[in-house]
Amino acid sequence: MDCIMEFQLILSRASLLTGRLPVRNGFYTTNAHARNAYTPQEIVGGISKDEILLPQVLKKKGYVNKIIGKWHLGHRTHHLPLEHGFDEWLGAPNCHFGPYNNSDRPNIPVYNNSQMVGRYYEEFEIDKKTGESNLTQIYLKEGLDFIFHQAKARRPFFLYWAADATHAPVYASKRFLGKSQRGRYGDAVMELDDSVGQILNSLRDLGIDKDTFVFFTSDNGAALMSGPKQSGSNGPFLCGKETTFEGGMREPAIAWWPGHIPAGTVSQQLGSVMDLFSTSLSLAGLNVPEDRAIDGLDLSPVLLNNTHVNRPIFYYRGNEMMAVRLGPYKAHYWTWSNSWEEFNQGIDFCPGQEVAGVTTHTQQEHTMQPIIFHLGRDPGEKYPISVLTKEYQDALSRITPVVVKHKNGLVPGLPQLNMCDLAVMNWAPPGCEKLGKCLKAPKSQPWKCDWPH
Amino acid sequence: MDCIMEFQLILSRASLLTGRLPVRNGFYTTNAHARNAYTPQEIVGGISKDEILLPQVLKKKGYVNKIIGKWHLGHRTHHLPLEHGFDEWLGAPNCHFGPYNNSDRPNIPVYNNSQMVGRYYEEFEIDKKTGESNLTQIYLKEGLDFIFHQAKARRPFFLYWAADATHAPVYASKRFLGKSQRGRYGDAVMELDDSVGQILNSLRDLGIDKDTFVFFTSDNGAALMSGPKQSGSNGPFLCGKETTFEGGMREPAIAWWPGHIPAGTVSQQLGSVMDLFSTSLSLAGLNVPEDRAIDGLDLSPVLLNNTHVNRPIFYYRGNEMMAVRLGPYKAHYWTWSNSWEEFNQGIDFCPGQEVAGVTTHTQQEHTMQPIIFHLGRDPGEKYPISVLTKEYQDALSRITPVVVKHKNGLVPGLPQLNMCDLAVMNWAPPGCEKLGKCLKAPKSQPWKCDWPH
């Protein structure tokens, strides 16, 4: 019933919904070289109206589309989910950071569709001290209700269940707090696991399990700089979130579709979160947009018949292709974990790990002679293959034309994450007036966003 | 049918067979502080006649005892298995290193019972270039034959199946070479896995599976200094073989006994290879020797009823207790990976890993303020708990009396691994004359063994 794959992720939820690399869909910055950008409250940009999102295409076949949880594709009104193909939303444009002082920085609003219904740490409580919050339960109930109503109405649906857990600050509801053997982080994982189980059970109970394709994965590797109390582990992999090493990009991925995906299968297929765009459309009998480059592949043959496609994966930080994977080989053209300055402040993306010339704190270029690892025998990227070996030369001679082709065909999108402005923050989201929770925005003073890594 | 446990191992097969720490049974050195000693060909010592081995006790109940494979408890005639409780042996006193030049260093002999039947790389071929060897198949066939004959004769038996694989130099038989996705090392693991499967199947076919307790584990963590082509991975754990970090000491452990050990159980019990001594005797209805300290625990209640015992584990290097584990906490009293001198020669026990003040290349004492890790949230030993926290003080206050009690009760055995001598090597093992393979030993010139780490 499930198929476990090795999954490579791009630093963006935008890629999942557009099937395109961040450098194409605009979710990157050109303010500095190779910077990881994202969408804090002060970001001006967001998902462009020119991008075509998965729910927009699914609508053609009558799908009802809902997102529950974190959006992160821009927080200004025109960037929100209902403007980009979703019919329903319960959740927030950003993560549950906070609590913030409302005069300098407002708490993140939670939306029900296009109206805010409160804010994190105000109407949606998260006790940072005890770690108690019902947030996952709220999102779970919303998901189960949605599934129930669509099943009863016999409507095809797409549910993007994007729980905030297990992002730091880590929380769990009372029933799970203290229950795991891995502290509060483990409690949060346990609650997430229980929630997924309840969702699968509801599909079975409603008799639609054989008609529902379910995919579970994560948006990045464990955030080791928050570890170990506020983060998971990346097992044998090098470094964590924010890096293009395996600990930053390789994820568990489980596909579930009783009667269609053979139970207990393990696939060696190299996949990407962008493939979910193409694969979902294929399963729904729809074509991907033909007027633009789509990076995702239709993996339905892999899932349904355990076939295999040899395909490259490109690892970006901002505007730079840092690395590429082809077959078992991964070639690093640029290495960087974070700056010495940040590292010396105690921010460590690779705690306890250090591979000479690889986990560098200066941006190092290796484009003339990339650092190559064999991820089969060295999944931890600890033993660079000697450039003097035939193996290195053979691998590079296969990788080089793939990289050349990719770079020659690349038309970067307009970078959306270059400009910041306190005035665009969530001061007065739609619906605030009904709640008496509108705040006064400061004067607009846009500046170039500063991305430290 | 199987129970998976977390297993802590001591650097010695002697501990498995005596149920005692190396510092008690003599398998250590006092030539220098905190040195990992073992039994190369030139070692003078071995298992003392004063030690009581598992097969010696099992004999009281009529068990037939056989060892297949690597012995490593001393290679001189009076140290060999048939002198210490085993009835049968096919295997070698040392590992399959070589090939050696017979004038400086003879190849390791392979024994059938008390007579050599040939030598590795001579009669027992291991092609270092292609990686082909039938050694695991030879040991498998010997094991299956032994089980068959004991089952037919309805005799109780103890089989210590100690295959040489997957030690470097790595090999596999033709059927497995090139079959895994992990190179030659993976091929060797695959062959070992297949062999264990065949052994379990034979127990089922002979109808004695419900009467046979099977335990699978390893004698140490992956030998990372040989990696990645000649070694496995330690996943998230710190460092590898030769160290007292988790990567050196924590092992997979699987217990199998259909009808007695509930299928698919996972136990959180902290176990040690020494427990196999006490547990096996308990299952056979025998008592452990009462005239000496036994470090192993009887884990049969854990295996049969999934109970739990809170017990410490002491991690030694030679004559020094380097660390102790109690519950989820591990306290390091001494840290050392290997010397700067050795490290600078390219020998690295912790490739790609570096935890400040922990993976030290000088021997560092922390006895006044041990470095403590919580292995639940930090199995990789990467985040030392701050000494300023209540958690540190609480953990230390529970650990300290356990250490004091252990040290006060410790009577070290006579160190067996202090003296080396080329004259005692395998020049002319019993049986060599029948094969015309006796070699001339040099004059005896004993010296203190030099253990580099």
Side-chain angles (χ1 to χ4, degrees), chain A residues 181-183 224-225 227-229 231 233-238 268 351-355 374 376-379 382-383 391, chain B residues 181-183 224-225 227-229 231 233-236 238 268 351-355 374 376-379 382-383 391:
Chain A
Q181 300 202 29
R182 178 56 171 83
L224 298 184
M225 61 285 189
K229 290 195 179 176
S231 157
S233 148
N234 288 319
F237 301 128
L238 189 63
Q268 304 296 330
Q353 299 180 313
E354 191 177 310
V355 181
H374 185 290
R377 60 174 187 264
D378 178 24
K382 302 218 168 45
Y383 306 89
E391 182 181 19
Chain B
Q181 300 202 29
R182 177 57 170 83
L224 299 183
M225 62 284 191
K229 291 194 179 177
S231 157
S233 148
N234 288 318
L238 189 64
Q268 303 296 330
Q353 298 179 315
E354 190 177 310
V355 181
H374 184 291
R377 60 174 187 266
D378 179 24
K382 302 219 166 46
Y383 306 90
E391 182 181 19

Side-chain angles (χ1 to χ4, degrees), chain B residues 14-15 43 48 62 64 86 113 130 156 178 233 255-256 265 274-275 296 329 406:
Chain B
S15 291
I43 203 84
S48 159
V64 183
F86 283 98
N113 299 322
T130 65
S233 148
W256 184 91
T265 326
M274 298 180 296
D275 301 337
Y329 294 102
H406 170 70

